[in-house]
Amino acid sequence: MNNKVFLYGSGDTEVDLEELGIYLKRIFMVEPELRGDFFSYFGSDSEHIAERIAELRVVDISKPFRKNEPFPLEVKLEREIIKGKKASGLLYDGFYFMEFMRDIIPEKERKNFHLYITDRLLGTFDDIDARYHARTIILGYPCIVSTSGIVEAPAKPREYYIEKGLLKGVDELIRLKENYRNRFIDYGDRRMQKVVEGYSAMAVFYHYLGEVFCTSKKCRLYNAHWQEELIEAQLSEPDFCTEHEEMRELLLMEGDFLPES
Ligand SMILES: [Zn+2]
């Protein structure tokens, strides 16, 4: 039974990896192994890795991905991020980022589930409106959950943007955010742990069962486009809709964690 899963957490997220492991073990009976940052774990040549990551930065959100030719300073910053510095304000192409990670995973571990929790903001280019959009999660191999994406990708309530446009200072912004506390997840939010647990469960469903998003707004597999939807899907009971709860139970009963080959 191949139920060993590898969890990676990058630098400065609000997420406790150990607690996440306990959740996944309780829900899916997997055996988590905590590995710290993905790139530090595998990074025998951190200079090369930093340079490659810097190439994956999106410099113009209105154009499809083109490899960035990084300045030495950008590479230096990437090295610091790998060591734990916050990755604030930078956007990377999510699919190329995932591919880059996949190539690093050694052959003998490629049957296992690898999950990376990062504060890097990942986006995918949408041909329809010809621009990049931030993502909460990249479902693929490996799966990536972005805490910055959880804050930035789903939209905040419309009224919030209107009120924000009328603000005059930082104090007012703090007050405004306080008023909307229950309606969106912000940086440094204590609810982030629970939200990431839900998105990680989504990744497990994808990896073992090929399930993508759910249409039930109460289910943790719901692909929220609004912050209020995200809060409802991730922070209210029950965890999963009836269909996904049944799938979870089946997965446990079969005890078959071998991924589709
Ligand atoms: Zn569901």
Side-chain angles (χ1 to χ4, degrees):
M1 190 162 107
N2 189 9
N3 63 348
K4 185 128 190 123
V5 303
F6 300 114
L7 304 182
Y8 308 85
S10 87
D12 200 6
T13 67
E14 302 86 346
V15 178
D16 181 333
L17 220 54
E18 196 175 334
E19 215 178 294
L20 173 63
I22 292 168
Y23 171 77
L24 293 178
K25 186 172 180 164
R26 179 164 61 81
I27 298 287
F28 297 107
M29 309 242 287
V30 291
E31 282 302 325
E33 182 181 313
L34 315 183
R35 288 183 159 184
D37 182 75
F38 182 90
F39 299 103
S40 301
Y41 185 81
F42 290 111
S44 51
D45 181 0
S46 65
E47 183 65 32
H48 167 73
I49 285 181
E51 196 176 333
R52 288 291 315 278
I53 293 176
E55 286 174 2
L56 302 176
R57 280 192 197 166
V58 174
V59 284
D60 182 350
I61 65 159
S62 67
K63 296 224 168 68
F65 181 69
R66 271 181 56 191
K67 205 157 94 176
N68 177 37
E69 285 175 24
F71 295 107
L73 263 178
E74 291 178 297
V75 178
K76 181 167 172 271
L77 178 58
E78 290 302 335
R79 267 203 313 274
E80 290 168 2
I81 294 171
I82 292 170
K83 287 186 188 137
K85 190 184 166 104
K86 250 193 181 337
S88 42
L90 302 168
L91 178 69
Y92 306 82
D93 184 286
F95 289 132
Y96 283 99
F97 200 91
M98 181 194 72
E99 271 180 21
F100 175 55
M101 289 180 70
R102 186 171 55 208
D103 291 344
I104 292 174
I105 297 171
E107 196 67 42
K108 61 177 191 315
E109 288 185 356
R110 290 205 182 162
K111 279 198 181 306
N112 292 84
F113 174 64
H114 297 256
L115 176 65
Y116 185 41
I117 313 298
T118 179
D119 67 338
R120 289 177 199 273
L121 189 61
L122 304 170
T124 54
F125 190 79
D126 188 336
D127 287 323
I128 296 168
D129 62 357
R131 59 171 289 235
Y132 268 91
H133 292 271
R135 299 287 172 209
T136 49
I137 187 167
I138 303 291
L139 291 173
Y141 191 82
C143 287
I144 310 170
V145 173
S146 163
T147 53
S148 301
I150 286 166
V151 173
E152 303 288 348
K156 296 177 176 65
R158 281 200 181 89
E159 311 89 272
Y160 172 79
Y161 294 110
I162 296 167
E163 286 189 47
K164 194 173 169 219
L166 303 171
L167 291 184
K168 290 182 189 74
V170 180
D171 288 352
E172 287 187 15
L173 179 63
I174 294 169
R175 253 198 313 278
L176 177 68
K177 283 191 166 185
E178 192 51 39
N179 289 344
Y180 279 86
R181 217 189 80 80
N182 294 326
R183 298 175 70 187
F184 65 78
I185 303 288
D186 203 359
Y187 291 104
D189 203 304
R190 272 189 289 165
R191 294 166 295 180
M192 185 60 86
Q193 178 77 28
K194 287 263 168 292
V195 175
V196 167
E197 285 173 6
Y199 276 87
S200 301
M202 198 186 278
V204 170
F205 271 95
Y206 174 78
H207 179 79
Y208 290 105
L209 299 164
E211 278 292 288
V212 281
F213 303 113
C214 179
T215 52
S216 164
K217 288 192 167 189
K218 295 267 179 207
C219 181
R220 289 193 123 174
L221 274 62
Y222 185 71
N223 184 19
H225 288 91
W226 293 89
Q227 285 283 334
E228 287 173 300
E229 293 176 336
L230 179 146
I231 287 173
E232 190 186 357
Q234 301 302 340
L235 301 175
S236 67
E237 298 290 325
D239 275 12
F240 306 110
C241 67
T242 318
E243 187 195 347
H244 284 114
E245 181 53 28
E246 281 172 5
M247 279 179 145
R248 183 182 76 88
E249 284 164 17
L250 213 65
L251 196 64
L252 297 187
M253 254 161 41
E254 285 177 357
D256 180 7
F257 277 90
L258 281 173
E260 61 284 359
S261 53

